Amino acid sequence: QVQLVEFGGGLVQPGGSLRLSCVASGRISSINTMGWYRQAPGKERELVAYIGRGDRTNYEDSVKGRFTISRDNAKNTVYLQMNSLKPEDTAVYYCYADFYIWTTSKESWGQGTQVTVSS
């Protein structure tokens, strides 16, 4: 059983910063891509950012220049540094990972962490 657990959500004022963390645990042989998605009320889940095993990154257009994704492979952890937060960033943020257990490819999601940007 592989679990992803997110940390770091909360309430922040516009212009503020938050750092999300996500730790993957369980019988993982290797992790390929890790990423963050978000879902705002009444909207579909959307990709925020992802990072490949070789640290190749990709960002959703609205967060480019404000958010930075990074990973620590030794700790099976992915981070999302969010700066200059806007009210429209308010959403539940979900961690995602695709990985191998021996030669079998799997994927998993975290339970989500709420980020609220409001004055």
Side-chain angles (χ1 to χ4, degrees):
Q1 184 78 9
V2 173
Q3 286 188 317
L4 301 182
V5 180
E6 299 109 334
F7 302 92
L11 173 64
V12 64
Q13 292 186 342
S17 298
L18 280 176
R19 189 192 194 207
L20 305 182
S21 303
C22 172
V23 182
S25 62
R27 300 181 66 180
I28 299 172
S29 299
S30 65
I31 299 177
N32 292 329
T33 300
M34 302 188 81
W36 293 92
Y37 286 71
R38 67 186 179 187
Q39 188 166 18
K43 295 187 177 181
E44 294 186 354
R45 189 175 297 190
E46 64 175 0
L47 175 68
V48 176
Y50 69 76
I51 182 167
R53 187 166 177 80
D55 289 343
R56 177 177 59 91
T57 60
N58 189 57
Y59 296 91
E60 195 270 328
D61 285 345
S62 70
V63 308
K64 287 180 180 177
R66 300 189 297 122
F67 291 9
T68 302
I69 189 169
S70 60
R71 64 192 283 175
D72 184 333
N73 292 326
K75 297 180 179 179
N76 286 346
T77 300
V78 63
Y79 306 96
L80 186 68
Q81 178 66 43
M82 305 185 292
N83 299 329
S84 303
L85 282 160
K86 304 175 181 180
E88 51 263 44
D89 295 317
T90 296
V92 178
Y93 283 70
Y94 297 90
C95 176
Y96 165 86
D98 71 85
F99 50 91
Y100 281 95
I101 300 177
W102 295 109
T103 59
T104 302
S105 178
K106 300 278 188 182
E107 62 179 35
S108 186
W109 292 86
Q111 80 286 356
T113 185
Q114 177 70 47
V115 172
T116 302
V117 185
S118 176
S119 55

